Structures are given as structure tokens and as C-alpha cells.
Amino acid sequence: MDKIVVKGGHSLKGEVTVSGAKNAALPILASALLADGKSVYRNVPDLADVTTMLKVLGTMGCGTGRLTGERTDVCEVSVEGPIHPEAPYDLVKTMRASVLVLGPLVARFGRARVSMPGGCAIGARPIDQHLKGLKALGADIHLTEGYVEATAKRLKGGTVNFDVITVTGTENVMMAAVLAQGRSVLENCAREPEVEELARVLNKMGARIQGAGTSVITIDGVDGLNPVEHAILPDRIEAGTLMVAAAITGGDVLVRRVVPEHLEPIILKLRETGCTLTTEEGGIRVKAPSVIHSVDVKTAEHPGFPTDMQAQLMGLMTVADGTSVISERIFENRFMHVPELHRMGADITIQGHTAVVKGVRALSGAPVMATDLRASASLVLAGLRAEGKTEVQRIYHLDRGYERLERKLRDLGADISRVKA
Ligand code: EPU
């Protein structure tokens, strides 16, 4: 298995450009199912998860492809001819976001058979809210042989009040409601920028959605949608990860192609650590202080501090001056990076959903194991700072969500390489 080898101690300097957002690309690719014809997406990151979503669509009978040469960021999905509305276990088990085809399939084809995602490394992650929403729009839902089967002649507008704020749940039900008959009102919705971006794409396709980005979304169903061309927004979590890379190495980096408003909770937190962040044309510059101050963090739904940045911020806190209290409030098991950070000399104690991080003078490089996507990123960040060599194994997790991360870091001056197995 490939691994990443980092030799720490180099300050990162220069400019880096952020790729398209994974968590926007996945629902947007699924939304292609809602219209006949060819949709074309630009700025689609080249990631394992995106490839899995293209495979899911391909097994159903969609034409899918990524351009080569200069435009590898362009993906096409065409819906022509019969669609077999099923997402099989083999694919869903490798990526739970495959469940995002459920809403579009039942709305458009009246039937969907999608494998139930199991638990995952960061928590149980049920999909009860997705199913509750689809039922409220009139879908019949049955669970058989590990699959969700949803059927409906035509969905009907309805009111859905989510009991839990869920990103993909909001997206799935929104994609179903766009073709339902009449008005749907979704309450207690996720307000993440990726939900707003999906609504933007659906509206370009002819949908009538209002309120995305707030907690109440109103959707007036239409009879049909058109294919679309769209450039996907930049990945705020990749941007945040690169910003922490600058901070943890005592660096000075301009992170290009960002939407500063989407990064606000991360920017505010990094300022509290003593970093200087300035908005420049085309990006945000992060200058590290000589000493990183400790800060407390509670993860929360957007616009709170994102759970997808918790592990990376914890990496930074391992070398801060003082003690930091980090509370994870979205997922029940998202501290898998802690035992690995211990191996590098970090001083962290877990008490339930809280980690108490006492900054240490230095980390020391060690062989460590990636356990999930963001945990992997935190280990790479710690490796950039540590004395000596860090080897991060199981980096397929990293490849699910970061496009060529080691190349981007190397271009900023890091001593990092991928060693093929
Ligand atoms: N939840 C339920 N029932 C549901 C749905 C969710 O109880 O039906 C719970 C979850 O178990 C969790 C909480 O609600 O405790 C929030 O989960 P959410 O549904 O919002 O997560 P998600 O939609 O499955 C997306 C991102 C994650 C990100 C979370 C939270 C995508 C494809 N994935 O997951 O991204 O952590 O929102 O912001 O958008 C990552 O990129 O590393 C990643 C894990």
C-alpha cells in the first residue's frame, strides 16, 4: 500500500490553489440524474470519492467521463436511454455518499434501490432523516436484504422538519422535492455552502428553490429539468487544511481560489491562535506567528466550526503554547487520530466527546496510520512540523478527499513524497 513520507521542519512559503469541493461535487454529480441529456461540470476534483460516484452513475446506465489533457477538472454525465435505478452494496460500502442518488432516482424514475450504508469509522451515521423526508413527500420505503427500496408514482410536495441537521439528508430530500407535485417546505435544514451550491445548480437546471443556505428551504416542484453546465465551488476544507499547514510550519502562504465567507469560522479560529490572515486578490494569506496560542474549539453545523477541520486544528494545537479543549459535537467517534498523534509525542486526553490537548515543545516523526480522511490530513500536518521522518500509512483515506495534497505541499517547500508499495 502507498504511504506518504514527510520530513518535518520546513516552513511553507508561496502560493497554492484550492481544488473544487468534494462535498459539493458528490451531490451535484448525483443531481445529473434529474434531467435527460448531458451535464458538464468544471472544477471537479480528481478524487477517489468522485470516481466512485461516477461509477455509481455508470452502473445505472449513465454515460460518465472525465476529460483528459489540460481539462482533467471537467466531468460529463449523460442520461440517455434506460436507467437501472440501483446503487449496489459494493459501491455504497466504499462511499456512503452514494446514498445521494436515492432522492433523484425516486423523484425522476419512481423507483430506487440503494444499499443501506453501514456504520463508518467516525460514527454510526444513520440515514433515518433522508428516509423520513422522502416519506413525507409520499415515497413508499421498504428495507429488504440490506437495501432501501423507495417507490412513488409521483412525489407530492410536503413539509419536512428534520430532527437532526443533516447535510446529505437535506440534499437528498431537496433533490427529490424539485420534481414533486406542489410546494415542499424543508425545516431545520443544513446551511452548509455545499447545500447552497447544490440548490444553485438545481435552479440553473430549472428548479424553483428558495432559502438554501438558511434553515428553511422552500421548493416549488416542476415537471422537468434540463441538463446543466457548472463550475464547482472551491473546497473550504482543503483551503482550511492548507491554511493550517502554513500555521503549523511557521510559514507564509497565499491560499488561492477560496470563498472567504465560507471560511469565516476557520479564519476566526486561526486568528485566535496568533496567525495573521489577510484577504488579498484571489486568496487569503496566512502568516504564522512565532508561537501558536492554544484555542478552544467546539465543532458545530455551519456556520459553526466544521467537524471536517477538527482533526487538523487538533494537529496544530499539539504544538501550541498552553492547553486547548476540543469538543466534537457532530460525530461520536471522530478522535481516531488521537492515538496516532500520541505516537508522535502529542499530549492529548480524551474525556467523552472532548479532547484536552496540552501543547508540547516538539513532535517527533513516527510511522502512523490514517484512519479516515480528515484524520489522515492531521497526521500529515503533524508530520510537517515534527522532528525527523513521519510515514503515514493507509493513505487511500487521504486520496478520497484531497487532490494531489503532497504535490501542493511540496510546491510550498515541504519535504514530502508518496512511496508506492
Ligand atoms: N444523522 C442522523 N440521521 C440522518 C443523518 C444524519 O442521525 O439521517 C446524524 C449523523 O449521524 C451525524 C449528524 O447527523 O451525527 C450529522 O451528519 P450529516 O448527515 O450532516 O453528515 P453527512 O451528510 O453524512 C456530510 C459530509 C461529511 C461531513 C458532515 C458534517 C458529504 C458527502 N459528507 O456528511 O464530510 O463531516 O456532512 O458536516 O457531504 C468529510 O468530507 O470528511 C466528511 C465526513
Side-chain angles (χ1 to χ4, degrees), residues 20 24 38 66 76 92 104 108 114 164 178 208-209 259 267 272 288 313-314 323-324 385 389 406:
K38 182 161 81 177
R66 186 182 277 281
E76 298 176 344
V92 180
R108 175 87 201 291
V114 174
V164 178
V178 290
R208 294 172 58 203
I209 304 173
V259 183
I267 291 173
E272 278 181 50
L313 198 94
M314 190 185 298
T323 299
S324 138
R385 169 70 179 236
K389 184 167 85 169
E406 76 275 15

Side-chain angles (χ1 to χ4, degrees), residues 42 46 66 76 106 122 125 131 135 168 196 263-264 312 314 323 355 357 368 372 378 383-384 394 418:
R42 281 174 284 128
D46 190 2
R66 186 182 277 281
E76 298 176 344
V106 69
I122 61 177
R125 303 180 76 181
L131 303 184
K135 272 188 204 156
T168 50
E196 219 180 324
L263 287 164
E264 202 149 292
Q312 300 89 316
M314 190 185 298
T323 299
V357 187
V368 286
D372 73 72
S378 82
L384 292 173
R394 297 205 182 152
R418 178 179 291 251

Side-chain angles (χ1 to χ4, degrees), residues 361-373:
R361 198 194 55 75
L363 296 173
S364 84
V368 286
M369 195 90 89
T371 48
D372 73 72
L373 169 56

Side-chain angles (χ1 to χ4, degrees), residues 22-23 26 97 122 125-130 164-168 192 307-308 330-332 334 373-374:
K22 167 181 84 83
N23 289 347
L26 297 174
I122 61 177
R125 303 180 76 181
I127 57 162
D128 56 303
Q129 298 301 308
H130 303 227
V164 178
I165 299 179
T166 158
V167 175
T168 50
E192 268 62 6
T307 172
D308 290 344
I330 304 296
F331 290 112
E332 62 272 27
R334 212 172 196 184
L373 169 56
R374 308 303 171 187

Side-chain angles (χ1 to χ4, degrees), residues 39-63:
S39 290
V40 181
Y41 307 104
R42 281 174 284 128
N43 206 25
V44 183
D46 190 2
L47 304 169
D49 274 7
V50 167
T51 306
T52 305
M53 183 55 89
L54 292 173
K55 263 193 208 153
V56 171
L57 296 170
T59 57
M60 286 176 194
C62 301

Side-chain angles (χ1 to χ4, degrees), residues 305-328:
F305 189 87
T307 172
D308 290 344
M309 278 300 298
Q310 177 259 108
Q312 300 89 316
L313 198 94
M314 190 185 298
L316 181 62
M317 288 302 100
T318 62
V319 291
D321 182 26
T323 299
S324 138
V325 178
I326 300 182
S327 307
E328 172 55 58

